[in-house]
Amino acid sequence: MKKFHNLFGKKKPVIGMIHLKPLPGTPRYTGNVKRVIDEALSEAKLYKSCGIDSIMIENMHDVPYMNRNVGPEITSLMSIIGYEIKKETNLPIGIQILAGANKEALAAANAGSLDFIRAEGFVFGHIADEGFIQSDAGEVLRYRKSIDAENIMIFSDIKKKHSSHSITDDTDIVETAKAAEFFMSDGVIITGIATGKEAQTNEIEAVKQQIDIPVLVGSGVTSTNCDKFIDTADGLIIGSYFKVDGKWFNPVDKAKVEKFMEKVRSFR
């Protein structure tokens, strides 16, 4: 927990999501790299002005996602964007590369001087939109060691949203969290069943009682329900709620971010 607190420097840090515009080579890419970078930087500056604690970038517009297989055109541009956001804001910056491209995320984070990655499929296999996702903790941690990037924290999703966990139905979320801790995850992320869907506080509480690494909420947090998540979780990752009309693909709504951060500060 000490490393987590040292990174964020705040109780219950709020991590705001930047969903990058479609990247080169993906079906919806519009052919303008500069626009992708500029729009990401604009959202980062907006978040910073609202008092956000941290920012994470993600290639969520790159549908349909590849299964743990993205090219250098993705990692190179995401590392540049992350570096520019870090330089502009001086906040803790994270990255997730969909789908399940955890080694690539580490490479981009290391090149961009970023602070953490969000990893899916770290422990146990599951069926996602992209097909079967095999666990990769051993491979990812050995890769992190090999590139001398152990300063980069890995927060891993457990019982991940948008996925079927029927294969591991006899292993509950607490045992999954214990496995992630045993496999040296730096923190676990609990979500609802889909983007923007609320996580279950009873699951968060049960996991918190059994592990000693940070527990973050990764979906469904709003200004209406944030009090209960602040009470139970160690950090909040917020994407959809911070966007216009609560839709992840819309621009960031400055008024909503400001109001939310004001409420969080009152709890602190």
Side-chain angles (χ1 to χ4, degrees):
M1 293 292 281
K2 183 179 180 182
K3 188 176 179 181
F4 182 82
H5 294 310
N6 286 344
L7 172 60
F8 293 104
K10 299 278 181 67
K11 291 179 63 178
K12 315 289 185 175
V14 177
I15 302 168
M17 291 299 305
I18 293 179
H19 299 114
L20 304 176
K21 288 295 186 285
L23 302 180
T26 62
R28 291 178 175 168
Y29 177 58
T30 61
N32 191 331
V33 167
K34 185 177 185 301
R35 181 183 174 192
V36 176
I37 298 172
D38 288 348
E39 289 196 18
L41 273 173
S42 177
E43 289 202 341
K45 292 174 186 178
L46 189 154
Y47 271 134
K48 172 79 171 182
S49 72
C50 296
I52 205 80
D53 302 314
S54 175
I55 293 169
M56 181 159 59
I57 62 173
E58 181 185 50
N59 60 325
M60 198 158 169
H61 284 275
D62 287 357
V63 291
Y65 310 122
M66 302 289 286
N67 187 334
R68 294 204 190 282
N69 179 26
V70 299
E73 69 280 359
I74 303 298
T75 53
S76 58
L77 183 52
M78 290 186 75
S79 67
I80 289 170
I81 293 170
Y83 177 83
E84 292 296 330
I85 290 174
K86 182 75 176 181
K87 184 172 69 171
E88 178 67 36
T89 66
N90 198 33
L91 292 172
I93 306 298
I95 183 172
Q96 179 176 19
I97 302 183
L98 301 170
N102 300 330
K103 285 175 63 178
E104 289 82 356
L106 271 173
N110 195 43
S113 300
L114 310 185
D115 303 289
F116 62 94
I117 73 165
R118 180 174 182 171
E120 53 185 317
F122 190 74
V123 290
F124 293 103
H126 66 269
I127 305 297
D129 313 49
E130 306 81 25
F132 182 68
I133 304 286
Q134 179 61 281
S135 58
D136 67 352
E139 184 180 356
V140 166
L141 289 182
R142 283 165 175 78
Y143 180 68
R144 183 173 70 171
K145 183 79 171 182
S146 74
I147 63 171
D148 194 25
E150 291 177 287
N151 59 304
I152 299 170
M153 300 184 75
I154 298 173
F155 302 138
S156 54
D157 276 281
I158 54 174
K159 299 289 185 180
K160 182 187 173 292
K161 61 187 178 180
H162 296 290
S163 302
S164 169
H165 300 280
S166 57
I167 299 172
T168 56
D169 192 49
D170 58 345
T171 305
D172 67 17
I173 196 165
V174 172
E175 292 305 313
T176 307
K178 287 181 179 179
E181 181 178 38
F182 182 64
F183 273 17
M184 303 170 63
S185 177
D186 295 302
V188 297
I189 300 170
I190 297 178
T191 65
I193 62 171
T195 297
K197 299 297 183 181
E198 189 173 324
Q200 300 300 307
T201 53
N202 63 313
E203 291 186 343
I204 300 166
E205 291 166 352
V207 168
K208 281 286 293 177
Q209 290 172 8
Q210 296 295 320
I211 64 173
D212 295 320
I213 57 176
V215 177
L216 298 94
V217 178
S219 72
V221 181
T222 69
S223 61
T224 303
N225 65 21
C226 70
D227 52 343
K228 65 181 179 182
F229 290 122
I230 289 172
D231 283 342
T232 54
D234 297 299
L236 311 175
I237 301 172
I238 304 177
S240 298
Y241 178 71
F242 281 161
K243 305 300 182 72
V244 173
D245 297 327
K247 305 294 185 182
W248 69 265
F249 46 79
N250 283 337
V252 175
D253 186 326
K254 183 177 181 181
K256 290 174 77 173
V257 182
E258 288 177 331
K259 182 179 178 181
F260 186 91
M261 293 308 300
E262 184 178 343
K263 188 169 185 178
V264 168
R265 285 191 289 270
S266 71
F267 281 104
R268 289 174 179 162

